[in-house]
Amino acid sequence: MVSALYAVLGALLLFKLSLDVVKLRTQYRVPFGDGGFYELQMAVRIHGNAVEYIPISLILMVIMEMNGANVWLVHVSGIMLFAGRLSHYYALRHRDWFWRRSGMAATYISMVMMICANIYYLPWEQILILY
């Protein structure tokens, strides 16, 4: 399954973002929350945003692949998703709103592509059988 590659990349990105939060909590000696530190607030938000988008996108990707989508479509969706997530990460770390908008646009376009592909590749004949 090609989507396994993107699941691994997603897990690695989430792991890295989690380590960023742990490192800053240790540095600022904050056991819970953000302690009012802007840098820690951003790290928590970056991680939280990735957790909000990566899992559902990967579920869409796996289902799309299982329903018979072309491999190239899985790759295009996965590359666009992770380009968007990395752009978003870069933007929030460096306060660059152009890259943030670009990252969110790439994420949304990737998700819409996967939603449309899932609708197209759904096994409609099995879904619509009444017996």
Side-chain angles (χ1 to χ4, degrees):
M1 286 189 92
V2 174
S3 55
L5 167 66
Y6 298 102
V8 168
L9 292 176
L12 289 172
L13 180 57
L14 288 172
F15 186 71
K16 190 263 187 263
L17 297 176
S18 176
L19 288 177
D20 288 349
V21 172
V22 170
K23 180 183 124 195
L24 289 170
R25 281 193 174 140
T26 302
Q27 177 183 332
Y28 291 120
R29 297 180 183 187
V30 177
F32 305 104
D34 57 40
F37 295 100
Y38 180 78
E39 188 179 13
L40 182 52
Q41 290 171 352
M42 291 301 342
V44 167
R45 197 57 236 136
I46 291 167
H47 179 258
N49 195 275
V51 167
E52 291 164 3
Y53 286 97
I54 291 173
I56 189 63
S57 296
L58 290 174
I59 290 169
L60 285 168
M61 185 180 295
V62 168
I63 293 170
M64 179 177 74
E65 187 175 16
M66 289 173 63
N67 282 331
N70 294 322
V71 172
W72 66 265
L73 186 56
V74 177
H75 280 299
V76 168
S77 300
I79 290 167
M80 185 168 279
L81 173 68
F82 283 98
R85 294 290 79 213
L86 292 172
S87 295
H88 192 264
Y89 165 69
Y90 172 84
L92 288 178
R93 293 285 298 216
H94 296 93
R95 298 181 191 176
D96 186 334
W97 306 121
F98 169 78
W99 286 105
R100 184 175 186 194
R101 284 190 302 272
S102 299
M104 287 309 302
T107 300
Y108 287 151
I109 291 168
S110 172
M111 290 180 76
V112 168
M113 284 174 40
M114 290 185 279
I115 290 166
C116 290
N118 273 305
I119 290 170
Y120 179 79
Y121 288 105
L122 272 174
W124 291 105
E125 60 280 353
Q126 292 177 2
I127 293 170
L128 298 176
I129 292 176
L130 299 175
Y131 57 92

